[in-house]
Amino acid sequence: MKLLLALASDDTYDLISLYIRPLGFELVRYRHIVKAMDNLDEVDPAAVIISANDFPRHWKAMVQFIRAERPKEICPVIILTGKNFPLESTTQAFYIGVSGIVDETLSPSDLERLQTIISRYIPVDERRRARRFYAGEWSRFGLLISNPQDKTIIPGEIKAISSSGLSFSPAYSSLMKDIKTHTVLPQCSLRAGDLILSPSCRMVRSGRIVSLEFISFPPGEENILEKYLEELPIIEMRNKRMEIEESGGFD
């Protein structure tokens, strides 16, 4: 399945890629919306994401162009909006056939909404339905990998995580250059809150951002991770409330 993205922002694309690729999509990105429209038939996407923030004068034209031949049931269209997106435009967006609207700041709740909208229109297998969470500082995730070849410890930052795997940015990418795709990493230490878990992982994608799949846990640890993931929305809410209180927002 192909997902067409009309996005100018590299940061927005990178974040969407982390969360949407696991659903099984091939991402096709255009920085120029006219080029995206010209290549629509060639790409033949299963879904489209358009940044109304990047293309305030052209997003409506692209939605109408898509809807001329592709109804919602065949090709959902999601638009990303900025803070000043007017209510009138929201109403018009749904009238012309937009399937969903998501804030381009892409908070964890926004990313979950993006996944939900796409999954509503496009069936994905249960394994790919595992919810992925953005790993902010408040989530207290961490990962250490032991290189199976020389036992070097590789630290880094978890970018996103689900019950089936995670995306990881190694602190020193050179330490992972010899680890091939599909390599099993039997000695990993995963921090989830106050607990340290010991999953065995398999590398499914290499690069600046590495994707790891969980293949096994010691007894009971998989349930511990799933429970912690379920609590993340509450942890995030508490964290945001503390930030507001510390900034004097409730005064």
Side-chain angles (χ1 to χ4, degrees):
M1 296 183 295
K2 293 182 180 180
L3 174 64
L4 189 152
L5 301 101
L7 297 172
S9 168
D10 290 338
D11 290 340
T12 301
Y13 173 78
D14 290 343
L15 194 51
I16 289 176
S17 177
L18 280 174
Y19 279 76
I20 298 302
R21 252 188 230 280
L23 295 179
F25 285 99
E26 175 188 348
L27 304 187
V28 181
R29 181 208 182 174
Y30 291 95
R31 291 183 172 86
H32 303 286
I33 197 166
V34 174
K35 189 172 182 181
M37 293 169 66
D38 288 342
N39 292 327
L40 184 67
D41 287 339
E42 178 182 345
V43 175
D44 192 21
V48 177
I49 296 176
I50 308 168
S51 172
N53 199 39
D54 291 339
F55 309 111
R57 298 175 56 187
H58 298 96
W59 68 266
K60 295 177 187 176
M62 184 168 182
V63 174
Q64 292 171 322
F65 183 75
I66 294 169
R67 288 290 171 253
E69 295 185 356
R70 293 171 169 83
K72 280 186 178 182
E73 294 75 18
I74 294 177
C75 183
V77 176
I78 300 166
I79 60 170
L80 305 180
T81 63
K83 294 181 179 179
N84 299 319
F85 194 71
L87 179 61
E88 179 182 350
S89 293
T90 300
T91 303
Q92 187 174 13
F94 285 110
Y95 178 76
I96 63 176
V98 167
S99 308
I101 295 176
V102 177
D103 194 307
E104 191 160 323
T105 55
L106 294 177
S107 68
S109 58
D110 294 324
L111 285 163
E112 183 173 350
R113 174 171 169 74
L114 185 64
Q115 288 181 325
T116 300
I117 294 170
I118 291 177
S119 298
R120 185 187 308 150
Y121 290 93
I122 301 172
V124 293
D125 62 54
E126 289 302 316
R127 189 167 175 275
R128 293 187 181 276
R129 285 185 182 274
R131 291 173 58 191
R132 293 174 64 84
F133 296 90
Y134 168 68
E137 291 184 5
W138 51 269
S139 61
R140 301 181 66 203
F141 281 113
L143 182 70
L144 294 175
I145 297 173
S146 176
N147 188 321
Q149 298 179 23
D150 58 15
K151 306 303 180 184
T152 300
I153 300 300
I154 305 171
E157 179 184 1
I158 293 177
K159 295 295 186 180
I161 186 168
S162 74
S163 60
S164 62
L166 57 83
S167 297
F168 173 74
S169 176
Y172 307 100
S173 57
S174 60
L175 296 178
M176 298 198 70
K177 65 180 182 180
D178 296 327
I179 304 178
K180 306 299 183 182
T181 304
H182 306 305
T183 297
V184 173
L185 307 171
Q187 295 179 318
C188 299
S189 294
L190 171 65
R191 176 182 175 177
D194 295 327
L195 300 174
I196 303 297
L197 310 179
S198 302
S200 291
C201 301
R202 179 185 292 113
M203 191 161 78
V204 296
R205 188 173 73 244
S206 60
R208 185 175 59 86
I209 302 295
V210 174
S211 291
L212 302 178
E213 175 188 18
F214 298 134
I215 56 177
S216 68
F217 283 87
E221 288 193 0
E222 187 171 9
N223 291 335
I224 291 173
L225 176 60
E226 290 178 353
K227 182 178 179 181
Y228 188 71
L229 291 175
E230 290 174 359
E231 294 173 351
L232 280 184
I234 298 174
I235 296 172
E236 181 188 9
M237 183 176 64
R238 289 174 180 168
N239 181 74
K240 287 183 177 180
R241 184 177 180 85
M242 288 177 60
E243 290 179 349
I244 293 172
E245 290 175 346
E246 289 173 357
S247 66
F250 289 145
D251 292 343

